[in-house]
Amino acid sequence: MDSLAEDLYFREMSICPYDKARHKALLKQHYQAQVRGSSKVKKKNLRELHELNQGLVVNLAGRFKWTGRSLMARVQEGNIGLKKGLESYDSSYHGTFSTYVGQQIKWALLRFVQEEGTNRIIRTPYHILKTIRQYE
């Protein structure tokens, strides 16, 4: 079942290959939409930027093989980080886009790994989990 989902995901991902020129143009439009406050253009650009950066998510999720989680579970968590990074990125404040979003993806994946084995309804911050583990 999992390999079928992976095959479909990668087949869909190959339809939209990475295009650096298109990526730069979308970032420029996204920044201009932020300045103008145009939410319709911003939503469209976010969707396209999300599709263009799927390769970055898969690459970073692949580096977390040691977790023992399936690739699709890691990709889903990476997509959550990508979404947060896309929504909070501001080119006038932050550095390059891929560096900022890559860090957001890594944080989402690390949070996913750290919460392994903790079946809690409310997410506990990492520093508190670390303190709890010291006393166990």
Side-chain angles (χ1 to χ4, degrees):
M1 176 75 178
D2 199 35
S3 65
L4 177 63
E6 287 179 18
D7 290 343
L8 289 172
Y9 181 79
F10 289 122
R11 190 174 304 138
E12 185 178 311
M13 208 174 92
S14 67
I15 293 170
C16 183
Y18 183 76
D19 181 9
K20 190 172 185 173
R22 178 75 181 136
H23 192 263
K24 284 186 175 185
L26 283 170
L27 279 175
K28 186 176 180 181
Q29 289 174 2
H30 180 67
Y31 178 68
Q32 289 171 349
Q34 270 184 334
V35 170
R36 281 190 241 120
S38 174
S39 62
K40 189 175 182 181
V41 174
K42 189 176 175 183
K43 284 182 184 179
K44 182 181 176 235
N45 286 341
L46 284 177
R47 193 175 323 111
E48 289 187 46
L49 281 168
H50 192 277
E51 289 174 5
L52 281 174
N53 287 287
Q54 286 297 307
L56 179 62
V57 172
V58 172
N59 183 356
L60 292 173
R63 295 180 188 179
F64 284 79
K65 279 183 182 176
W66 54 269
T67 63
R69 299 285 183 107
S70 71
L71 178 64
M72 291 309 295
R74 290 177 286 165
V75 167
Q76 282 181 337
E77 288 298 319
N79 280 329
I80 291 170
L82 175 61
K83 186 176 182 233
K84 286 181 184 177
L86 284 170
E87 290 172 352
S88 64
Y89 179 73
D90 181 11
S91 61
S92 64
Y93 178 71
H94 303 294
T96 61
F97 178 77
S98 59
T99 304
Y100 180 75
V101 172
Q103 196 64 40
Q104 294 287 329
I105 295 168
K106 285 179 192 174
W107 287 336
L109 288 167
L110 283 171
R111 198 173 306 119
F112 178 61
V113 171
Q114 291 161 356
E115 291 176 355
E116 183 176 0
T118 58
N119 295 327
R120 297 188 173 114
I121 295 172
I122 300 172
R123 190 182 81 76
T124 309
Y126 176 67
H127 69 280
I128 293 175
L129 285 175
K130 196 173 174 182
T131 306
I132 291 169
R133 287 185 185 135
Q134 285 178 349
Y135 293 108
E136 287 180 341

